[in-house]
Amino acid sequence: QVQLVESGGGLVQAGGSLRLSCAASGRTGITYPMGWFRQAPAKEREFVAAISVSTSFTKYADSVKGRFAISSDNAKNTVYLQMNSLKPEDTAVYYCAAGPMLISLRKSSYWGQGTQVTVSS
């Protein structure tokens, strides 16, 4: 089992920035790709970004390319999502995710509890 704990959500004005963190524990000796999904009210959960913690290869949704950056600190088993130029449509609950098919199929095996990000206009 892998446990994921997010932090860093909050309220920010449009154009502002936030950084989310996700700390992994448990079977971290297995270096699964890690990443982020988000779910806005009345919408399906959608892929945001993912990173291979072994190769640093990254993948982004088109809607966040150029604004969001995902990174990892392997010594801390932590993944970060730096979100810049935030827009009201970025408002959602952001979920940390991990799993062997996260990059290839955008499918997660493990989920965090979620952290709320609200962008005001």
Side-chain angles (χ1 to χ4, degrees), residues 8-20 67-68 81-87 90 117-119:
L11 173 65
V12 65
Q13 288 187 332
S17 299
L18 279 176
R19 189 176 82 155
L20 305 182
R67 300 189 298 123
F68 291 11
L81 186 67
Q82 179 67 44
M83 305 184 293
N84 300 323
S85 302
L86 283 161
K87 304 175 182 180
D90 294 317
V117 171
T118 303
V119 184

Side-chain angles (χ1 to χ4, degrees), residues 5 33 47 54-55 58 63 67-68 77 84 94-95 101 114 117:
V5 178
F47 171 83
S54 56
T55 68
T58 59
S63 59
R67 300 189 298 123
F68 291 11
N77 293 320
N84 300 323
Y94 283 69
Y95 295 91
M101 294 183 287
V117 171

Side-chain angles (χ1 to χ4, degrees), residues 16-96:
S17 299
L18 279 176
R19 189 176 82 155
L20 305 182
S21 301
C22 173
S25 61
R27 297 179 64 193
T28 52
I30 300 173
T31 53
Y32 292 141
M34 293 180 66
W36 298 89
F37 285 68
R38 67 186 181 186
Q39 187 167 20
K43 291 189 176 181
E44 292 189 354
R45 192 172 296 189
E46 64 175 1
F47 171 83
V48 175
I51 185 168
S52 167
V53 296
S54 56
T55 68
S56 297
F57 174 81
T58 59
K59 197 165 190 176
Y60 295 93
D62 288 344
S63 59
V64 306
K65 279 182 183 177
R67 300 189 298 123
F68 291 11
I70 190 169
S71 61
S72 66
D73 183 336
N74 294 346
K76 296 181 179 179
N77 293 320
T78 299
V79 170
Y80 304 96
L81 186 67
Q82 179 67 44
M83 305 184 293
N84 300 323
S85 302
L86 283 161
K87 304 175 182 180
E89 51 263 44
D90 294 317
T91 294
V93 177
Y94 283 69
Y95 295 91
C96 185

